[in-house]
Amino acid sequence: MSQYVSRIAGTFVGPPRLRLPGQHRRPRRIAVLSVHTSPLHQPGTGDAGGMNVYIVELAKRLAALDIEVEIFTRATTGGLAPTVQLAPGVLVRHVDAGPYEGLDKEELPAQLCAFTHGVMQAWAGQRPGYYDLVHSHYWLSGHVGWLASERWGVPLVHAMHTMAKVKNAALADGDRPEPAARVIGETQIVRAADRLIANTAEEAADLVRFYEAEPAKVAVVHPGVNLECFCPADGRAAARARLGLPPDAFIPLFAGRIQPLKAPDILLRAVAVLLDQDPSLRTKLVVPVVGGPSGSGLAKPEVLQKLAARLGIADVVRFRPPVGQEQLADWFRAASVLVMPSYSESFGLVAIEAQAAGTPVVAASVGGLPVAVRDGVTGFLVPGHEPAAYARALRNFLDHPELVDRMGEAASHHARGFGWDTAASATADVYTEAMHDHRRRGRTAR
């Protein structure tokens, strides 16, 4: 059930099929646009997160399908090589657009002309027809992709990742709403794109409901997980030993960007509730928070540390900086449970990665998390954001320790249905459809 491409109009495309002679061809080379965050950046801080992982893993798997990928991203430090080989068949192109450092994401719209100029310069040095398709990620990239696709005469495939109207409908306390300019920009991209890729059926429905997307243009492709990296491996005890964590502790983990949208404060408040109810837990609890400030969280980078002190739980909370994929997998293995109380998630890659490592998840019942987490089987979904509700979910694991292993095993099995190979093959099918429809419309126009 988890591996498919579907049309919200009702038709269903099953598992990838062998392509026979005479069938529509896949693209040979695509331009991928990621203006505001580089696939080379460390996820978990700044603007780097699940989208970075998505772009990197998808690009590698597309290259394995003989689709060359060139990723255009903004240069954020001086002296970067103009191009970097990320993997065989995957090239990253750094584009100079605005100052290298100190530029917030909200200031990037003013640099889109410069970024577009850099993309066009790279294209101008190639033979005609060099790129078969443009795949843009996030609305800033979508505007560059819109112009590029029209200039090159190729289809535009766009992935929103997050949507302003959806985020504004579920704002966290203290978070700022997305600006009207973004809403307008997203609306324009939805109209211009040949295909829109959504992570879940709910996201696809949001595109239709909030942005009046044409249902026939929207495809659902679940993201994947790197199953070689995120796996149970040698188990919880070994991972805890490597990370210097107590072997018998109860460890609810938060991993991700520290900003109101991701709601790490909910976990801290839930832990305070647990300790108020049962002070003896203080010797058994270790609460790691792995990640760095991001978005509106950059304005108050110490807010979580101050909250932990104010709640009287600073002694059980351990703040750690973002880490690479291999060590992140160890944090997942070491945890008793991952806690993901986000206010909005288009999918929630972290939830799938943790489950792939054999760890159950307690998550907010929002966005794509009900797809990522099987409620009552691989973890618990919590409606709303009351800390007491999360405390009750965590108490289930404390009162029934066997749940950690039982749900962890189910979680690992569940996550194996989300491989990147399947996601890449399904995405390639979306590209193929977009190219076919684009050519057909071109013939009709003539």
Side-chain angles (χ1 to χ4, degrees), residues 170-434:
L171 279 178
D173 290 341
D175 211 355
R176 58 176 179 263
E178 295 295 320
R182 177 178 173 182
V183 174
I184 295 168
E186 289 177 342
T187 303
Q188 292 169 331
I189 296 161
V190 166
R191 292 173 183 165
D194 293 87
R195 286 292 188 280
L196 297 159
I197 292 182
N199 289 331
T200 64
E202 180 175 351
E203 184 184 350
D206 285 340
L207 280 164
V208 175
R209 179 160 60 102
F210 287 111
Y211 293 90
E212 299 181 354
E214 296 177 29
K217 292 201 316 186
V218 183
V220 175
V221 180
H222 294 328
V225 61
N226 184 335
L227 295 170
E228 295 178 2
C229 177
F230 297 100
C231 59
D234 51 359
R236 185 168 290 107
R240 289 186 176 190
R242 285 191 289 270
L243 294 170
L245 296 169
D248 299 324
F250 179 71
I251 303 179
L253 165 72
F254 175 88
R257 288 177 287 163
I258 296 174
Q259 60 181 134
L261 177 73
K262 302 295 183 180
D265 63 296
I266 300 295
L267 170 58
L268 269 57
R269 296 179 194 278
V271 168
V273 170
L274 286 173
L275 290 176
D276 283 344
Q277 293 171 346
D278 185 356
S280 70
L281 290 175
R282 192 172 291 274
T283 60
K284 304 175 184 177
L285 274 172
V286 175
V287 185
V289 176
V290 180
S294 173
S296 55
L298 290 168
K300 298 178 180 179
E302 305 296 325
V303 66
L304 276 191
Q305 287 88 338
K306 292 178 179 178
L307 177 62
R310 194 164 64 250
L311 293 172
I313 61 170
D315 57 318
V316 302
V317 181
R318 299 188 183 182
F319 292 97
R320 296 291 184 269
V323 295
Q325 297 264 289
E326 294 293 338
Q327 193 171 359
L328 182 60
D330 249 2
W331 278 106
F332 290 146
R333 294 182 194 109
S336 306
V337 58
L338 174 78
V339 183
M340 201 168 179
S342 305
Y343 283 86
S344 177
E345 288 285 350
S346 61
F347 185 66
L349 279 178
V350 171
I352 287 292
E353 289 171 348
Q355 290 175 98
T359 298
V361 177
V362 170
S365 185
V366 300
L369 287 171
V371 175
V373 180
R374 292 186 62 194
D375 190 25
V377 178
T378 69
F380 296 107
L381 294 171
V382 181
H385 295 84
E386 286 296 324
Y390 285 83
R392 286 193 294 272
L394 293 175
R395 189 81 224 188
N396 282 331
F397 292 100
L398 286 162
D399 292 341
H400 307 283
E402 73 280 1
L403 279 180
V404 172
D405 290 334
R406 191 174 79 222
M407 284 189 161
E409 185 176 349
S412 178
H413 179 77
H414 172 61
R416 285 198 289 272
F418 291 87
W420 275 114
D421 289 340
T422 299
S425 185
T427 301
D429 286 345
V430 176
Y431 293 163
T432 302
E433 288 185 16

Side-chain angles (χ1 to χ4, degrees), residues 115-187:
F115 190 92
T116 303
H117 175 70
V119 172
M120 292 302 159
Q121 275 190 317
W123 168 75
Q126 309 296 343
R127 58 174 174 74
Y130 186 72
Y131 299 111
D132 290 318
L133 179 140
V134 178
H135 188 171
S136 54
H137 296 267
Y138 194 68
W139 78 277
L140 294 169
S141 302
H143 272 267
V144 181
W146 181 9
L147 189 149
S149 69
E150 291 194 348
R151 181 70 182 85
W152 302 344
V154 300
L156 171 64
V157 175
H158 181 73
M160 286 290 206
H161 292 280
T162 62
M163 291 177 270
K165 289 185 178 181
V166 175
K167 289 179 72 174
N168 287 347
L171 279 178
D173 290 341
D175 211 355
R176 58 176 179 263
E178 295 295 320
R182 177 178 173 182
V183 174
I184 295 168
E186 289 177 342
T187 303

